Amino acid sequence: MSSKKNILIALMVLIILSILSLNLIYDKVDDTKGEEKNSVKIGVSIYNQYDTFISSLVNYLTEYAKYKEQEEGITITLDISNAGGNQITQNYQVENYIRENYDIICINLVDRTDASVAIDMAINADIPLIFFNRELVEKDLNRWDKLFYVGAVALESGIMQGKIVVDYCDKNFDQVDRNQDGILQYVILEGEPGHQDALIRTEYVINTISEAGIFVEKVGDEIANWTRAQAETKMSQWLKNDVGREIEIVIANNDDMALGAIDAIQKEQMEDPPVVVGIDGTKVGLEAVKNGDMIGTVLNDAKGQAEGIVELACFLAFGEELPDGIELIDGKYIRKPHIIITPENIEQYME
């Protein structure tokens, strides 16, 4: 009987020790839950690090993350990857961020129509995605309540670029209209084929000019994929044939392509060159406006978009409120407005 009694006592001791161990584990879990989260890991995949505007946005992103850390006493880990213009590479980068348990993933899409793979992975891992600058298809964005977009309204930039041309022509049409036929002959340098911003900017700039009562005639239209070098090549080809004598204005979907056109014009040492207008308000674009090489550009607010991305990521990670000036529209969008930049207001934006 004594042996049975000893076994029962031993079992009771084990049960009591097990209960005590479980209580200690639960206490630790509760303590962890009670601790306030003060760090966030953010993975960022950009479509191409050599895009001047994107490079500027990434610099602002890094700067603002450091400012936010100091201001709030938190830790923000940023890991920035370059997809090199390859959507498959970008999908691998997203997969890697998920594998390494990043809290938020930010994506500057290579292909705005091909976000489904990244979205599927994020849904399965329950990790929010913030898309930025290159807007995905609305149907994809609405697939899940943890998908967001930070950027600007593309048609706004096209309309504003058109207004720059209209205002300039109102004051200087006789100079711009080199052949004095009362018609504005133009060439247009477009971004990527099928890219939403390229299509919309191209459509709305011409519509805005035409609706102002200015007669226009397109004498050339080329894809230059947002790049300065390609734009210079396209412009050089125009200047070396009959089209070059007709061009009165060069309309570029972004500043880099506008600058490429200027490079070609300057190499030809033209006495009466066509005027050039861009979009983005990059540092080099603003310098071109100040120097008189461009009649104007449209500021695409890289700094504001970077701040919106960081603030939205912290909102998702810590549950803190978005600051004044940053509004989450329809629970999905942060939109930053464009600004017209011309020689009249260039000084206040040069910094």
Side-chain angles (χ1 to χ4, degrees):
M1 289 293 294
S2 59
S3 61
K4 289 183 179 179
K5 187 174 182 180
N6 289 337
I7 291 171
L8 286 171
I9 291 170
L11 287 170
M12 289 177 66
V13 170
L14 286 172
I15 291 168
I16 291 168
L17 288 173
S18 298
I19 292 169
L20 289 172
S21 297
L22 286 171
N23 285 336
L24 285 172
I25 291 170
Y26 286 129
D27 286 343
K28 286 182 180 179
V29 171
D30 288 338
D31 288 344
T32 302
K33 286 181 178 178
E35 292 176 2
E36 186 177 346
K37 182 178 174 64
N38 65 353
S39 65
V40 58
K41 290 172 63 179
I42 305 172
V44 182
S45 175
I46 58 174
Y47 97 98
N48 187 346
Q49 67 180 358
Y50 299 109
D51 183 300
T52 303
F53 177 79
I54 295 301
S55 176
S56 174
L57 193 155
V58 168
N59 288 338
Y60 283 126
L61 192 66
T62 304
E63 289 174 9
Y64 193 75
K66 291 177 181 176
Y67 163 79
K68 185 74 173 174
E69 283 184 315
Q70 296 172 355
E71 190 76 8
E72 302 289 340
I74 58 178
T75 301
I76 300 176
T77 301
L78 275 181
D79 187 307
I80 298 168
S81 301
N82 174 33
N86 188 308
Q87 187 60 58
I88 295 174
T89 299
Q90 187 164 71
N91 292 340
Y92 282 135
Q93 290 169 351
V94 172
E95 183 179 17
N96 189 55
Y97 287 139
I98 290 172
R99 188 184 302 113
E100 295 183 8
N101 295 315
Y102 276 70
D103 300 295
I104 313 288
I105 300 173
C106 304
I107 305 175
N108 171 229
L109 280 167
V110 172
D111 183 349
R112 64 176 291 270
T113 65
D114 192 12
S116 57
V117 173
I119 291 172
D120 288 339
M121 289 190 291
I123 291 173
N124 290 335
D126 194 28
I127 295 176
L129 296 184
I130 300 173
F131 296 92
F132 65 96
N133 179 254
R134 294 160 73 92
E135 188 170 348
L136 70 165
V137 178
E138 185 178 5
K139 183 179 178 181
D140 286 336
L141 191 66
N142 288 328
R143 285 184 54 195
W144 190 36
D145 61 359
K146 294 182 182 179
L147 304 176
F148 306 89
Y149 178 73
V150 177
V153 180
L155 64 87
E156 190 178 73
S157 61
I159 291 170
M160 288 185 175
Q161 188 181 45
K163 287 181 178 179
I164 292 172
V165 175
V166 171
D167 289 345
Y168 189 84
C169 287
D170 283 346
K171 300 171 186 174
N172 309 282
F173 191 77
D174 287 342
Q175 297 174 25
V176 180
D177 185 22
R178 295 189 298 165
N179 61 6
Q180 301 298 302
D181 67 350
I183 300 171
L184 189 63
Q185 275 82 25
Y186 72 92
V187 292
I188 192 154
L189 291 163
E190 297 188 49
E192 299 166 51
H195 190 285
Q196 183 194 33
D197 283 3
L199 295 170
I200 291 177
R201 287 175 181 180
T202 298
E203 177 185 356
Y204 279 87
V205 63
I206 301 304
N207 287 349
T208 301
I209 297 168
S210 298
E211 288 169 4
I214 298 174
F215 294 102
V216 294
E217 179 187 0
K218 181 170 70 176
V219 296
D221 187 346
E222 289 284 356
I223 299 292
N225 290 300
W226 309 113
T227 65
R228 187 168 181 164
Q230 287 189 36
E232 181 182 353
T233 299
K234 302 295 185 183
M235 189 69 195
S236 294
Q237 291 169 352
W238 281 326
L239 294 176
K240 284 177 170 58
N241 60 39
D242 291 341
V243 172
R245 291 190 294 272
E246 299 180 58
I247 302 170
E248 295 171 340
I249 184 167
V250 180
I251 299 170
N253 282 169
N254 76 340
D255 284 350
D256 270 9
M257 292 189 294
L259 291 164
I262 292 167
D263 292 338
I265 290 168
Q266 291 178 343
K267 285 180 180 179
E268 289 293 321
Q269 297 181 332
M270 299 178 69
E271 292 183 7
D272 187 19
V275 296
V276 181
V277 62
I279 292 177
D280 272 348
T282 60
K283 183 179 179 182
V284 285
L286 294 177
E287 288 171 353
V289 174
K290 184 178 181 180
N291 296 337
D293 294 326
M294 282 203 296
I295 62 170
T297 185
V298 179
L299 180 67
N300 191 3
D301 190 0
K303 185 173 184 287
Q305 290 180 36
E307 292 175 3
I309 291 166
V310 173
E311 292 292 353
L312 180 55
C314 290
F315 165 77
L316 295 170
F318 307 129
E320 61 183 45
E321 293 184 4
L322 290 171
D324 292 340
I326 297 180
E327 178 187 3
L328 191 59
I329 303 167
D330 298 329
K332 287 284 184 184
Y333 298 92
I334 291 177
R335 299 283 194 188
K336 306 304 292 187
H338 290 94
I339 301 169
I340 289 176
I341 308 291
T342 64
E344 284 73 25
N345 66 345
I346 184 65
E347 291 298 336
Q348 69 187 90
Y349 293 101
M350 281 303 294
E351 293 183 7

mmCIF file of all heavy atoms in Angstrom, residues 330-348:
data_model
loop_
_atom_site.group_PDB
_atom_site.id
_atom_site.type_symbol
_atom_site.label_atom_id
_atom_site.label_comp_id
_atom_site.label_asym_id
_atom_site.label_seq_id
_atom_site.Cartn_x
_atom_site.Cartn_y
_atom_site.Cartn_z
ATOM 1 N N ASP A 330 -11.112 56.956 -48.355
ATOM 2 C CA ASP A 330 -11.830 55.683 -48.560
ATOM 3 C C ASP A 330 -11.124 54.504 -47.898
ATOM 4 O O ASP A 330 -11.276 53.356 -48.328
ATOM 5 C CB ASP A 330 -12.008 55.391 -50.055
ATOM 6 C CG ASP A 330 -12.845 56.444 -50.774
ATOM 7 O OD1 ASP A 330 -13.734 57.016 -50.125
ATOM 8 O OD2 ASP A 330 -12.600 56.691 -51.966
ATOM 9 N N GLY A 331 -10.349 54.794 -46.863
ATOM 10 C CA GLY A 331 -9.641 53.741 -46.147
ATOM 11 C C GLY A 331 -8.554 53.062 -46.962
ATOM 12 O O GLY A 331 -8.008 52.038 -46.559
ATOM 13 N N LYS A 332 -8.190 53.683 -48.113
ATOM 14 C CA LYS A 332 -7.264 53.027 -49.050
ATOM 15 C C LYS A 332 -6.152 53.929 -49.570
ATOM 16 O O LYS A 332 -5.044 53.466 -49.822
ATOM 17 C CB LYS A 332 -8.052 52.526 -50.282
ATOM 18 C CG LYS A 332 -8.929 51.311 -50.038
ATOM 19 C CD LYS A 332 -8.066 50.070 -49.972
ATOM 20 C CE LYS A 332 -8.895 48.808 -49.833
ATOM 21 N NZ LYS A 332 -8.047 47.612 -49.686
ATOM 22 N N TYR A 333 -6.457 55.197 -49.798
ATOM 23 C CA TYR A 333 -5.572 56.065 -50.571
ATOM 24 C C TYR A 333 -5.025 57.228 -49.760
ATOM 25 O O TYR A 333 -5.751 57.849 -48.980
ATOM 26 C CB TYR A 333 -6.324 56.674 -51.764
ATOM 27 C CG TYR A 333 -6.841 55.677 -52.768
ATOM 28 C CD1 TYR A 333 -8.134 55.152 -52.653
ATOM 29 C CD2 TYR A 333 -6.066 55.278 -53.848
ATOM 30 C CE1 TYR A 333 -8.629 54.255 -53.587
ATOM 31 C CE2 TYR A 333 -6.553 54.386 -54.797
ATOM 32 C CZ TYR A 333 -7.837 53.869 -54.652
ATOM 33 O OH TYR A 333 -8.319 52.990 -55.575
ATOM 34 N N ILE A 334 -3.745 57.539 -49.960
ATOM 35 C CA ILE A 334 -3.185 58.821 -49.570
ATOM 36 C C ILE A 334 -2.757 59.505 -50.861
ATOM 37 O O ILE A 334 -1.915 58.993 -51.599
ATOM 38 C CB ILE A 334 -1.982 58.672 -48.616
ATOM 39 C CG1 ILE A 334 -2.448 58.136 -47.252
ATOM 40 C CG2 ILE A 334 -1.261 60.007 -48.436
ATOM 41 C CD1 ILE A 334 -1.328 57.885 -46.267
ATOM 42 N N ARG A 335 -3.383 60.637 -51.163
ATOM 43 C CA ARG A 335 -3.114 61.358 -52.403
ATOM 44 C C ARG A 335 -2.384 62.661 -52.084
ATOM 45 O O ARG A 335 -2.815 63.427 -51.228
ATOM 46 C CB ARG A 335 -4.428 61.711 -53.110
ATOM 47 C CG ARG A 335 -5.272 60.509 -53.511
ATOM 48 C CD ARG A 335 -4.728 59.830 -54.726
ATOM 49 N NE ARG A 335 -5.681 58.887 -55.319
ATOM 50 C CZ ARG A 335 -5.372 58.061 -56.298
ATOM 51 N NH1 ARG A 335 -4.151 58.043 -56.802
ATOM 52 N NH2 ARG A 335 -6.271 57.231 -56.787
ATOM 53 N N LYS A 336 -1.293 62.907 -52.773
ATOM 54 C CA LYS A 336 -0.555 64.151 -52.614
ATOM 55 C C LYS A 336 -0.734 64.998 -53.878
ATOM 56 O O LYS A 336 -0.580 64.496 -54.989
ATOM 57 C CB LYS A 336 0.935 63.894 -52.367
ATOM 58 C CG LYS A 336 1.220 62.955 -51.206
ATOM 59 C CD LYS A 336 0.607 63.412 -49.898
ATOM 60 C CE LYS A 336 1.233 64.663 -49.352
ATOM 61 N NZ LYS A 336 0.724 64.999 -48.000
ATOM 62 N N PRO A 337 -1.062 66.278 -53.733
ATOM 63 C CA PRO A 337 -1.352 67.114 -54.911
ATOM 64 C C PRO A 337 -0.102 67.479 -55.703
ATOM 65 O O PRO A 337 1.005 67.533 -55.172
ATOM 66 C CB PRO A 337 -1.977 68.376 -54.289
ATOM 67 C CG PRO A 337 -1.396 68.438 -52.908
ATOM 68 C CD PRO A 337 -1.234 67.005 -52.467
ATOM 69 N N HIS A 338 -0.291 67.723 -56.999
ATOM 70 C CA HIS A 338 0.765 68.248 -57.857
ATOM 71 C C HIS A 338 0.805 69.773 -57.731
ATOM 72 O O HIS A 338 -0.167 70.400 -57.296
ATOM 73 C CB HIS A 338 0.512 67.883 -59.320
ATOM 74 C CG HIS A 338 0.676 66.429 -59.632
ATOM 75 N ND1 HIS A 338 -0.374 65.537 -59.635
ATOM 76 C CD2 HIS A 338 1.777 65.702 -59.967
ATOM 77 C CE1 HIS A 338 0.070 64.325 -59.954
ATOM 78 N NE2 HIS A 338 1.366 64.400 -60.161
ATOM 79 N N ILE A 339 1.924 70.365 -58.154
ATOM 80 C CA ILE A 339 2.082 71.817 -58.113
ATOM 81 C C ILE A 339 2.749 72.276 -59.404
ATOM 82 O O ILE A 339 3.750 71.695 -59.846
ATOM 83 C CB ILE A 339 2.946 72.258 -56.906
ATOM 84 C CG1 ILE A 339 2.306 71.799 -55.592
ATOM 85 C CG2 ILE A 339 3.142 73.774 -56.894
ATOM 86 C CD1 ILE A 339 3.201 71.964 -54.378
ATOM 87 N N ILE A 340 2.212 73.321 -60.019
ATOM 88 C CA ILE A 340 2.808 73.897 -61.220
ATOM 89 C C ILE A 340 4.054 74.689 -60.831
ATOM 90 O O ILE A 340 4.028 75.515 -59.916
ATOM 91 C CB ILE A 340 1.803 74.821 -61.938
ATOM 92 C CG1 ILE A 340 0.687 73.978 -62.593
ATOM 93 C CG2 ILE A 340 2.496 75.682 -62.988
ATOM 94 C CD1 ILE A 340 -0.404 74.803 -63.242
ATOM 95 N N ILE A 341 5.166 74.418 -61.543
ATOM 96 C CA ILE A 341 6.415 75.132 -61.309
ATOM 97 C C ILE A 341 6.830 75.835 -62.605
ATOM 98 O O ILE A 341 6.970 75.191 -63.651
ATOM 99 C CB ILE A 341 7.566 74.191 -60.893
ATOM 100 C CG1 ILE A 341 7.137 73.295 -59.704
ATOM 101 C CG2 ILE A 341 8.813 74.992 -60.555
ATOM 102 C CD1 ILE A 341 6.953 74.014 -58.414
ATOM 103 N N THR A 342 7.005 77.137 -62.537
ATOM 104 C CA THR A 342 7.464 77.937 -63.667
ATOM 105 C C THR A 342 8.543 78.904 -63.161
ATOM 106 O O THR A 342 8.791 78.974 -61.949
ATOM 107 C CB THR A 342 6.295 78.741 -64.276
ATOM 108 O OG1 THR A 342 5.812 79.669 -63.298
ATOM 109 C CG2 THR A 342 5.159 77.836 -64.725
ATOM 110 N N PRO A 343 9.177 79.658 -64.044
ATOM 111 C CA PRO A 343 10.186 80.615 -63.575
ATOM 112 C C PRO A 343 9.649 81.608 -62.538
ATOM 113 O O PRO A 343 10.419 82.119 -61.723
ATOM 114 C CB PRO A 343 10.608 81.341 -64.866
ATOM 115 C CG PRO A 343 10.401 80.315 -65.934
ATOM 116 C CD PRO A 343 9.168 79.569 -65.528
ATOM 117 N N GLU A 344 8.339 81.843 -62.559
ATOM 118 C CA GLU A 344 7.744 82.820 -61.625
ATOM 119 C C GLU A 344 7.800 82.340 -60.172
ATOM 120 O O GLU A 344 7.889 83.159 -59.252
ATOM 121 C CB GLU A 344 6.289 83.109 -62.022
ATOM 122 C CG GLU A 344 6.138 84.016 -63.219
ATOM 123 C CD GLU A 344 6.492 83.328 -64.529
ATOM 124 O OE1 GLU A 344 6.403 82.075 -64.592
ATOM 125 O OE2 GLU A 344 6.872 84.041 -65.482
ATOM 126 N N ASN A 345 7.729 81.021 -59.936
ATOM 127 C CA ASN A 345 7.712 80.542 -58.543
ATOM 128 C C ASN A 345 8.831 79.554 -58.235
ATOM 129 O O ASN A 345 8.832 78.904 -57.191
ATOM 130 C CB ASN A 345 6.353 79.905 -58.206
ATOM 131 C CG ASN A 345 6.085 78.624 -58.985
ATOM 132 O OD1 ASN A 345 6.754 78.332 -59.964
ATOM 133 N ND2 ASN A 345 5.077 77.883 -58.565
ATOM 134 N N ILE A 346 9.799 79.434 -59.140
ATOM 135 C CA ILE A 346 10.825 78.402 -59.018
ATOM 136 C C ILE A 346 11.659 78.546 -57.740
ATOM 137 O O ILE A 346 12.014 77.542 -57.108
ATOM 138 C CB ILE A 346 11.758 78.392 -60.264
ATOM 139 C CG1 ILE A 346 12.776 77.249 -60.196
ATOM 140 C CG2 ILE A 346 12.464 79.718 -60.427
ATOM 141 C CD1 ILE A 346 12.198 75.895 -60.240
ATOM 142 N N GLU A 347 11.951 79.754 -57.316
ATOM 143 C CA GLU A 347 12.854 79.953 -56.181
ATOM 144 C C GLU A 347 12.360 79.284 -54.905
ATOM 145 O O GLU A 347 13.141 78.745 -54.135
ATOM 146 C CB GLU A 347 13.093 81.440 -55.936
ATOM 147 C CG GLU A 347 13.923 82.126 -57.031
ATOM 148 C CD GLU A 347 15.332 81.545 -57.152
ATOM 149 O OE1 GLU A 347 15.842 80.960 -56.164
ATOM 150 O OE2 GLU A 347 15.915 81.685 -58.245
ATOM 151 N N GLN A 348 11.062 79.328 -54.669
ATOM 152 C CA GLN A 348 10.544 78.765 -53.408
ATOM 153 C C GLN A 348 10.575 77.245 -53.374
ATOM 154 O O GLN A 348 10.386 76.640 -52.315
ATOM 155 C CB GLN A 348 9.119 79.270 -53.158
ATOM 156 C CG GLN A 348 8.065 78.731 -54.105
ATOM 157 C CD GLN A 348 6.716 79.404 -53.899
ATOM 158 O OE1 GLN A 348 6.389 80.416 -54.494
ATOM 159 N NE2 GLN A 348 5.929 78.807 -53.016
#
